[in-house]
Amino acid sequence: MPRTFRLKFNRIGPMCYIGHLDMMRYMQKAVMRAELDIRYSEGYHPHQIMSFAYPLGVGMETHGDYFDIDLLSYTISSGKVLFGDETALEDGIVSEVCSGIMRDLNAVMQEGTEILSVSLVPVKADNAMASVMAASYDVLLDDMTNFTADKIKNYLLQPEIMVEKEGKKGPVLKNIKEGIYNFALAENGHLYMYVCSGSSLNIKPADIVSSYLRYHQLEEIKIRHIIRLETYRSENGKLVPLGYD
Amino acid sequence: MHNKERKLALSDDILMTIEKPSRYIGGELNSVMKDKAKVKLRFAFCFPDLYEIGMSHLGISILYGLMNSYEDVWCERVYSPWKDLDAIMRIEKIPLFALESQEPVKSFDFLGFTLQYEMCYTNVLQVLDLSGIPYYAKDRTEDDPIVIGGGPCVYNPEPIADFFDLFYIGEGEVCYRPLFDLYEDCKEKGLSRKEFLRLASHIEGIYVPSLYEVVYRIDGTIESQKPVFEDVPQTVKKCIVKDFDHAYYNTKPVVPFLRATQDRIVLEVQRGCIRGCRFCQAGQIYKPIREKDPEMLKQYAKEMMKNTGYDEISLSSLSTSDYSHLPELLDYLIEECNAKKMNISLPSLRIDAFSLDVMKKVQDVKKVSVTFAPEAGSQRMRNVINKGLTIENILNGAEMAFRGGWNKVKLYFMLGLPGEKEDDIKAIPELCNEIAKLYYDTVPKSERHGKAEITASTSFFVPKPFTAFQWAPMDTMEHFIEKARLTKQTMLSQLNAKSLSYHWHEAGTTIIEGILARGDRKIAPVILEVYQNGNFFDAWTEEYNHDAWMDALEKYNCSLDFYIFRERYEEEIFPWDIIDAGVSKAYLYREWMNAKQEMVTPNCRQKCAGCGAASFGCGVCVEARI
């Protein structure tokens, strides 16, 4: 029985200029080089079954993105080939497999991306993309003088925060206030944002920045960087990181 | 964005404004980083076109690996920035940089260009311009890199001779080491650029254009082209790899982040061609054919899969069906690829029972087509061009394909071949019609997947140096368009017209390609003029500016009649006579006469045509014949 694994990765430096599709192709090639026994689609041109949690835009760095892969087998150091049957794997074996996958992939990875952790996804769990409920970000603008604790507090005290979002039938106005779980000045002087993500309401850091500037009647300020810090799923009503570590 | 290991030449702001920034960041898998303090020679290797095109080129990949295998050399890659970035670099005065180190090209020891098609010449000027290197070799100083050109276009380097310090004639695996040794030696001794170039002319395959004086006759043809010093050779003979089995091959090619035009593992199974098609330059300049040991290729395939992670593999050569170990190699690859879930992309093989069987194993017959390249519609014309494909070959192949489940056939033809008559043109649609008819006769209605889809495309013929047609006149643009129209009309009047479709290529670039292919040193200012008027990326149809070329030709009194529309005479000295490609002018002229008499010449494995390539003492020339 194939097992699904969730891989957490980072992307920093020049590699952030790669588009999402190219990032997927990059990971597929890494899986080939690592010779992992990944599951393929059927047909004349089979492709690896790999699902990314959240598309990474060109220019965005991340410390906490995820993708899922299905492995048909994995050979552990003792030479034993696993996943041949339905029996549940012991915890010790699972952690050996997970650290093995991480080691195999990191050995063939380019500078700028690294697999940070690997976990086994429970059988009935949602796939990576469907699991995404929130994400957190580190955001830095060219000029931070107008981002003060007071101004942020006033912005968040508005009864509603309307933002124009791209809907299926063109732009629609959406209230994002309930989706902003945290928006604050971080210790490093950057902005910290913890927001609702996924299919129901997908808030991007740029949504907050633009509505903030509008609320305070400020001129446009260029965003210098957006770094995704973590991606979250929901477990028993609580938000937890996407992995199952 | 913080935390960058390698400092990029372009700012974040620029990278976020341009299309596909990953073209310019380097750092791809298998790209080579070295400590610049520990190398003696830095080589910037440029394919003067877009990254996606240049990254698909096998030649650079081989030489990049080879040069970087030398401890004292660091070879980096350079491509033409697309127009969006080009404009920004001019405004912001950012010098063109190499991808690996991200450092300015101008600081390198060498700037090498591979010249694969004539329409890239304006891009060569773009690269020089953005690098801050003078266009003309004579204007360069000790601070400029040595500019060297290689690739098929340098078999007539004369139109661009004034832009280059050196040309490398032949296969890159052979003479770069002696050239680098000489360069390092000259640098150590403090010799000047001029002194280095003079000494370089003594190396096999190295042509130094500034050391030759060309004298023209009153009619514009060449009176003489002689070296200005006694120690400089009269002609420069191409250098080739003699032991092809043991030639260097790069099994760790750079894997681009974005999808290149050729985004797969490439195995070069052989170099050269036995066929001797009279229009084909590659068939002559890569002679003689040399095959690679299949065991070696299997080993390369295995290593490259491990080193790249590609999900596709393809074979490269001028005519893969002629590779004598093809069945063995394909059997191995099919098995290996099935196990690894990889695709095999087949080159266009000659359609026969074997190739159809292979295609069936690796492709979906309902989706793909079988391809024929008869190049000419009538048998008479195919004899003129020495294309050994007969109507029986085509119809038998097509019938087998139809029985095997295919219903799509692609055919490639040329218009404007020497001596072409109206009947030869009409024969193209007639052949297509016959193939469509064959489909309906062969496949019963109940077994058909829709109608037959026969697609013909024509390109316009350009006579090239070192071919039998180097003496031939080229057709005018008006003729080309008329001929394409005639083909189209005849296509529509066929009984099975509904199963036929027809495409043709633009005629404008063809004319300019003709001039650049057989031009002389008087063409250089024309190319510069076109470039300075803001035109480059001429190989891209939407960027090509025909009027700019016509105006520049007129300004410099370069007439189309002289360069392309006249038949050249037997004894005429050609601009490219300085180059010795290994095939003799006498042989080529015999072939020109054979063409006029519609006589076929057997291929190299059947019978030696005495072309002269035997002087290399390798490949088919020394193998036993069938």
Side-chain angles (χ1 to χ4, degrees):
Chain A
M1 183 183 74
R3 301 295 206 281
T4 302
F5 291 88
R6 184 155 299 166
L7 290 75
K8 180 178 185 178
F9 67 97
N10 68 4
R11 178 172 93 169
I12 47 179
M15 271 196 74
C16 73
Y17 293 106
I18 299 166
H20 175 60
L21 288 175
D22 292 331
M23 194 67 207
M24 289 169 61
R25 286 169 359 97
Y26 172 81
M27 286 298 183
Q28 284 162 4
K29 289 192 176 88
V31 165
M32 286 288 268
R33 292 195 296 275
E35 297 182 331
L36 295 176
D37 189 12
I38 194 168
R39 193 157 69 92
Y40 279 83
S41 66
E42 304 291 322
Y44 268 96
H45 296 293
H47 57 87
Q48 294 180 7
I49 302 209
M50 183 181 274
S51 118
F52 276 72
Y54 207 152
L56 260 173
V58 172
M60 196 194 282
E61 295 185 309
T62 180
H63 295 302
D65 266 67
Y66 295 83
F67 64 95
D68 287 354
I69 55 173
D70 286 4
L71 294 189
L72 299 174
S73 74
Y74 190 82
T75 309
I76 51 173
S77 55
S78 65
K80 192 173 175 202
V81 182
L82 302 173
F83 314 162
D85 54 34
E86 309 278 318
T87 37
L89 302 165
E90 288 167 34
D91 285 352
I93 296 284
V94 170
S95 77
E96 188 183 344
V97 172
C98 289
S99 60
I101 294 170
M102 187 161 121
R103 188 188 54 235
D104 296 346
L105 278 170
N106 282 335
V108 297
M109 213 64 103
Q110 279 292 92
E111 189 181 289
T113 49
E114 199 184 343
I115 303 296
L116 302 171
S117 70
V118 178
S119 58
L120 180 68
V121 178
V123 179
K124 290 207 171 130
D126 281 334
N127 71 31
M129 188 181 273
S131 305
V132 175
M133 301 299 283
S136 55
Y137 298 91
D138 175 298
V139 180
L140 182 66
L141 289 90
D142 272 353
D143 179 4
M144 294 291 289
T145 43
N146 278 309
F147 289 87
T148 60
D150 276 351
K151 279 191 170 156
I152 290 173
K153 194 175 151 198
N154 288 337
Y155 163 79
L156 289 171
L157 280 173
Q158 299 174 82
E160 54 177 27
I161 300 173
M162 300 306 288
V163 166
E164 200 169 271
K165 302 284 288 176
E166 213 43 59
K168 274 180 191 145
K169 292 176 198 155
V172 284
L173 275 176
K174 274 203 165 180
N175 180 8
I176 62 168
K177 184 176 175 186
E178 298 306 313
I180 304 176
Y181 305 137
N182 194 352
F183 171 34
L185 265 177
E187 275 174 27
N188 59 6
H190 302 177
L191 298 174
Y192 176 74
M193 296 179 189
Y194 182 23
V195 295
C196 179
S197 302
S199 49
S200 55
L201 177 64
N202 197 42
I203 302 176
K204 291 176 176 170
D207 296 331
I208 296 183
V209 170
S210 64
S211 55
Y212 180 90
L213 295 177
R214 202 173 339 108
Y215 174 72
H216 288 295
Q217 296 179 332
L218 296 164
E219 296 279 304
E220 196 184 316
I221 308 171
K222 254 184 65 64
I223 298 176
R224 193 177 301 168
H225 80 217
I226 300 171
I227 303 170
R228 189 136 64 214
L229 299 172
E230 185 57 89
T231 315
Y232 300 86
R233 64 185 168 87
S234 153
E235 190 172 275
N236 306 324
K238 268 171 54 191
L239 289 172
V240 295
L242 213 67
Y244 284 89
D245 311 67
Chain B
M1 281 146 235
H2 68 283
N3 207 352
K4 286 193 177 86
E5 310 296 328
R6 277 181 329 119
K7 176 129 180 49
L8 297 183
L10 302 173
S11 68
D12 294 330
D13 282 352
I14 293 175
L15 286 162
M16 290 305 284
T17 21
I18 53 175
E19 193 184 299
K20 301 196 177 161
S22 56
R23 286 169 181 161
Y24 310 107
I25 61 174
E28 306 94 324
L29 179 75
N30 299 332
S31 60
V32 178
M33 288 302 291
K34 290 192 180 188
D35 179 351
K36 65 176 174 180
K38 288 184 182 149
V39 296
K40 288 191 195 160
L41 190 155
R42 295 183 66 183
F43 194 102
F45 210 145
C46 177
F47 191 111
D49 206 321
L50 198 59
Y51 176 88
E52 289 92 320
I53 310 290
M55 278 300 288
S56 309
H57 183 245
L58 179 62
I60 285 199
S61 171
I62 294 174
L63 294 179
Y64 179 82
L66 176 68
M67 289 183 188
N68 280 319
S69 75
Y70 305 146
E71 214 171 302
D72 55 329
V73 177
W74 186 9
C75 174
E76 303 183 38
R77 293 159 299 138
V78 179
Y79 301 97
S80 279
W82 185 244
K83 292 207 158 171
D84 56 349
L85 178 59
D86 176 276
I88 293 172
M89 291 173 84
R90 283 166 204 273
I91 294 166
E92 313 242 329
K93 300 196 166 38
I94 301 168
L96 185 61
F97 53 91
L99 293 183
E100 282 76 359
S101 65
Q102 299 273 311
E103 290 181 351
V105 169
K106 182 152 167 116
S107 65
F108 281 60
D109 297 287
F110 280 85
L111 169 57
F113 286 95
T114 180
L115 303 165
Q116 296 292 316
Y117 32 86
E118 293 82 2
M119 299 314 287
C120 76
Y121 290 170
T122 46
N123 280 63
V124 170
L125 299 181
Q126 178 214 14
V127 168
L128 291 172
D129 190 10
L130 291 178
S131 302
I133 300 168
Y135 301 119
Y136 285 113
K138 64 176 168 54
D139 299 330
R140 290 180 197 139
T141 69
E142 303 297 326
D143 295 333
D144 292 302
I146 303 286
V147 179
I148 183 167
C153 290
V154 306
Y155 284 86
N156 177 20
E158 294 305 278
I160 45 170
D162 292 341
F163 304 134
F164 282 82
D165 298 298
L166 300 173
F167 287 106
Y168 184 114
I169 316 297
E171 296 171 356
E173 291 98 330
V174 188
C175 291
Y176 270 113
R177 189 63 260 183
L179 184 69
F180 291 165
D181 288 339
L182 175 72
Y183 179 84
E184 289 173 4
D185 193 44
C186 288
K187 212 163 135 184
E188 226 160 82
K189 289 181 182 146
L191 297 188
S192 70
R193 184 183 189 94
K194 268 197 165 152
E195 287 165 305
F196 163 70
L197 293 176
R198 174 90 172 263
L199 292 169
S201 75
H202 301 167
I203 296 176
E204 195 192 346
I206 299 295
Y207 168 47
V208 186
S210 59
L211 299 180
Y212 295 77
E213 193 181 21
V214 185
V215 179
Y216 298 95
R217 290 170 205 231
I218 199 124
D219 67 359
T221 59
I222 291 168
E223 165 87 40
S224 69
Q225 35 190 0
K226 286 197 193 104
V228 291
F229 300 110
E230 261 179 26
D231 57 309
V232 176
Q234 291 283 337
T235 58
V236 179
K237 189 170 183 180
K238 76 167 179 184
C239 52
I240 65 162
V241 173
K242 292 184 180 157
D243 180 3
F244 196 54
D245 277 338
H246 297 100
Y248 174 86
Y249 199 68
N250 188 8
T251 55
K252 279 185 90 174
V254 177
V255 181
F257 291 122
L258 48 84
R259 197 185 278 282
T261 314
Q262 285 276 342
D263 201 30
R264 51 187 72 88
I265 294 170
V266 179
L267 289 179
E268 188 187 21
V269 299
Q270 63 189 0
R271 206 172 280 177
C273 183
I274 57 170
R275 296 278 150 187
C277 299
R278 294 189 180 119
F279 55 85
C280 179
Q281 188 191 40
Q284 298 299 340
I285 62 177
Y286 295 114
K287 271 181 171 177
I289 197 167
R290 288 145 291 157
E291 298 196 325
K292 197 155 256 178
D293 178 5
E295 290 309 316
M296 202 76 125
L297 291 169
K298 291 177 198 173
Q299 185 58 37
Y300 289 164
K302 219 183 283 176
E303 281 173 36
M304 292 176 86
M305 287 174 191
K306 182 100 188 133
N307 290 341
T308 64
Y310 272 126
D311 60 1
E312 191 165 305
I313 191 163
S314 77
L315 306 180
S316 164
S317 82
L318 291 170
S319 167
T320 305
S321 287
D322 291 327
Y323 178 57
S324 48
H325 309 284
L326 190 62
E328 177 192 342
L329 181 64
L330 281 175
D331 275 351
Y332 172 83
L333 291 178
I334 288 171
E335 195 171 316
E336 197 72 6
C337 289
N338 275 342
K340 291 196 157 72
K341 301 276 196 278
M342 286 175 64
N343 300 320
I344 302 180
S345 95
L346 291 174
S348 13
L349 298 170
R350 215 169 16 255
I351 299 303
D352 54 21
F354 164 73
S355 61
L356 289 172
D357 180 52
V358 171
M359 286 163 75
K360 227 172 181 167
K361 282 184 195 156
V362 302
Q363 298 169 340
D364 184 349
V365 294
K366 287 192 212 82
K367 287 196 185 124
V368 298
S369 47
V370 291
T371 305
F372 296 94
E375 308 292 358
S378 68
Q379 192 57 49
R380 187 190 79 81
M381 207 63 228
R382 284 195 293 272
N383 291 350
V384 170
I385 62 176
N386 203 40
K387 183 86 193 182
L389 197 65
T390 63
I391 183 88
E392 289 76 29
N393 295 151
I394 298 169
L395 294 180
N396 286 342
E399 187 180 337
M400 271 190 276
F402 293 148
R403 288 193 197 285
W406 277 270
N407 64 335
K408 296 183 181 68
V409 176
K410 266 193 216 155
L411 297 130
Y412 293 106
F413 299 97
M414 276 186 282
L415 288 176
L417 289 161
E420 186 177 54
K421 298 193 176 76
E422 200 173 300
D423 283 349
D424 299 311
I425 298 166
K426 286 185 175 161
I428 294 173
E430 285 159 12
L431 175 61
C432 296
N433 185 61
E434 208 167 327
I435 295 171
K437 180 176 180 297
L438 183 70
Y439 175 76
Y440 297 111
D441 291 349
T442 308
V443 187
K445 221 170 190 171
S446 57
E447 289 168 30
R448 289 177 201 159
H449 325 285
K451 61 184 176 63
E453 291 175 37
I454 317 296
T455 312
S457 5
T458 59
S459 59
F460 296 116
F461 170 65
V462 181
K464 293 277 166 107
F466 292 105
T467 66
F469 294 155
Q470 61 183 350
W471 286 273
M474 192 172 152
D475 248 338
T476 61
M477 204 150 127
E478 293 71 35
H479 273 155
F480 277 145
I481 293 162
E482 258 167 54
K483 286 177 173 183
R485 196 172 297 140
L486 177 65
T487 313
K488 177 93 201 165
Q489 279 166 359
T490 320
M491 201 66 88
L492 290 171
S493 68
Q494 298 299 308
L495 202 59
N496 292 297
K498 282 190 175 155
S499 302
L500 313 180
S501 61
Y502 171 57
H503 311 281
W504 69 92
H505 293 281
E506 290 283 326
T509 52
T510 311
I511 297 288
I512 301 306
E513 199 186 317
I515 289 176
L516 297 178
R518 290 191 297 167
D520 53 25
R521 293 191 177 187
K522 289 174 276 184
I523 297 295
V526 174
I527 304 170
L528 184 58
E529 172 86 10
V530 170
Y531 171 70
Q532 287 187 318
N533 285 328
N535 303 292
F536 51 104
F537 281 110
D538 286 309
W540 297 69
T541 318
E542 68 278 14
E543 301 293 336
Y544 172 73
N545 181 346
H546 192 64
D547 293 341
W549 280 98
M550 298 317 270
D551 292 348
L553 284 164
E554 202 183 315
K555 180 169 172 185
Y556 289 95
N557 290 317
C558 294
S559 92
L560 301 182
D561 289 329
F562 173 75
Y563 284 106
I564 52 175
F565 296 146
R566 70 188 170 95
E567 178 166 347
R568 301 193 181 203
Y569 56 92
E570 183 182 356
E571 303 83 14
E572 182 169 337
I573 297 175
F574 294 138
W576 53 95
D577 281 354
I578 284 182
I579 309 298
D580 176 358
V583 289
S584 71
K585 206 168 173 180
Y587 153 77
L588 292 171
Y589 196 75
R590 276 203 307 278
E591 281 296 280
W592 177 222
M593 291 301 112
N594 285 339
K596 289 192 167 184
Q597 286 157 33
E598 300 164 23
M599 292 231 309
V600 169
T601 301
N603 75 46
C604 296
R605 285 215 177 98
Q606 292 166 324
K607 187 169 180 285
C608 177
C611 73
S615 69
F616 294 109
C618 61
V620 69
C621 303
V622 297
E623 287 159 13
R625 271 170 234 291
I626 318 159

